[in-house]
Amino acid sequence: MLNLILTVRYTNNGELAFGQDMLGMGGLFLGFLVGYLVGLSFKHLANSQQQDKSSSGVTWNRALDSLRAIIIVLVVAICFSILLNWLAISVLPDQVILRLQSLKANQTSLLFSVAIVLLAGIMTFFGLTSMPILAHFGRNGVAMTANLNYALIHHTIWGVPYPFSLGTLYESFGAIGGTGSTLSLVIAIFLFSNQRDQQLIGRWSLLPVLFNFNSAILVGVPVLGNGLYIIPFLLVPLVNVGIAASAIALHLTPAVVYQVPLGTPSLLQALIGTNGNWVTLLVMALNVGIGVWLYRPFVKLSNRLNTQGDGLDATER
């Protein structure tokens, strides 16, 4: 309920609406933070008197003991919601990404593209942004427009002026299966995980991940906020971008020039964006294979930690 209060927006017409950006994946961090602060508030503000479980009216007494904490938390939530409306910072993380994108409209630097890929991974890992925002990386801007104009004028996509822009590298090669290149994680789970719950999540997540919708695998494993997976989650997209940039620099494959619709299968985005260059499929396969290899030790470490946890539970029983 508190998250809904914080997402209420007051429009210029005096109407109430909800900030949808804060109700999806991009609002996970806020949800975790609110939950932690509410629990902390109840711990310190609610009366901690012990109640006899056998006595009547225990539930009513506990509700009365928590009344002060409930009122204070609700008042603070309403005030903070008003503050968010006034400051217009409810989607600040997404605005930061888009602002960084606009600061360098050409997006021609490989270093800039790598930095944005790393930033996107970090913000997604901590639940500060969402895949729809990330999916628009590099789709607009001077670089992509110049590349497309070059291809239309010269009737070829070889030799475009900006081959290492964000639009030519990130969505097509860096985010295979969504942010963190989670298609490789799903395959690694199939091959190396001995945990039944992870296998089940992997099976149910495979089809959405193939179309770059990876929310289920990020939350179900879980990956978001899980320090076990932060290294491969950030590293695999960077390696993918590096491999793609190397292939373009060596003239093994052209740069992605043509935009593809959102929801296009991740393995086909580079193929369609290069007007059917089959070498891109080999690059994609290489990226997925290396990604699986990078995720492999962390999936196996998860197996060991799960086994140790089961052993401790058995000992306690």
Side-chain angles (χ1 to χ4, degrees), residues 100-247:
L100 288 174
Q101 189 175 359
S102 65
L103 286 177
K104 193 176 178 78
N106 287 338
Q107 305 163 16
T108 59
S109 169
L110 177 59
L111 181 60
F112 175 80
S113 300
V114 169
I116 291 294
V117 171
L118 183 61
L119 176 64
I122 293 174
M123 298 185 75
T124 302
F125 183 82
F126 290 103
L128 289 169
T129 190
S130 55
M131 187 60 200
I133 295 296
L134 302 178
H136 288 84
F137 271 17
R139 282 180 168 263
N140 301 313
V142 176
M144 290 301 294
T145 302
N147 288 345
L148 182 59
N149 288 337
Y150 178 93
L152 296 175
I153 294 173
H154 296 85
H155 306 288
T156 180
I157 59 175
W158 293 93
V160 294
Y162 305 116
F164 305 115
S165 68
L166 193 59
T168 61
L169 296 174
Y170 177 70
E171 189 177 358
S172 299
F173 296 104
I176 307 174
T179 312
S181 193
T182 45
L183 178 59
S184 296
L185 173 59
V186 172
I187 297 174
I189 288 175
F190 288 154
L191 295 177
F192 308 112
S193 178
N194 57 17
Q195 303 176 55
R196 294 182 59 185
D197 55 345
Q198 284 195 359
Q199 290 281 345
L200 180 62
I201 293 169
R203 288 196 297 271
W204 281 101
S205 303
L206 177 59
L207 185 60
V209 165
L210 287 174
F211 291 86
N212 282 345
F213 296 100
N214 62 348
S215 301
I217 194 72
L218 293 181
V219 176
V221 168
V223 176
L224 298 185
N226 187 350
L228 177 65
Y229 288 105
I230 187 171
I231 294 177
F233 189 80
L234 300 179
L235 180 62
V236 173
L238 295 176
V239 173
N240 290 349
V241 167
I243 292 174
S246 299

Side-chain angles (χ1 to χ4, degrees), residues 21-36:
D21 294 323
M22 296 181 67
L23 294 175
M25 293 291 293
L28 282 179
F29 179 80
L30 176 65
F32 294 148
L33 181 61
V34 169
Y36 173 76

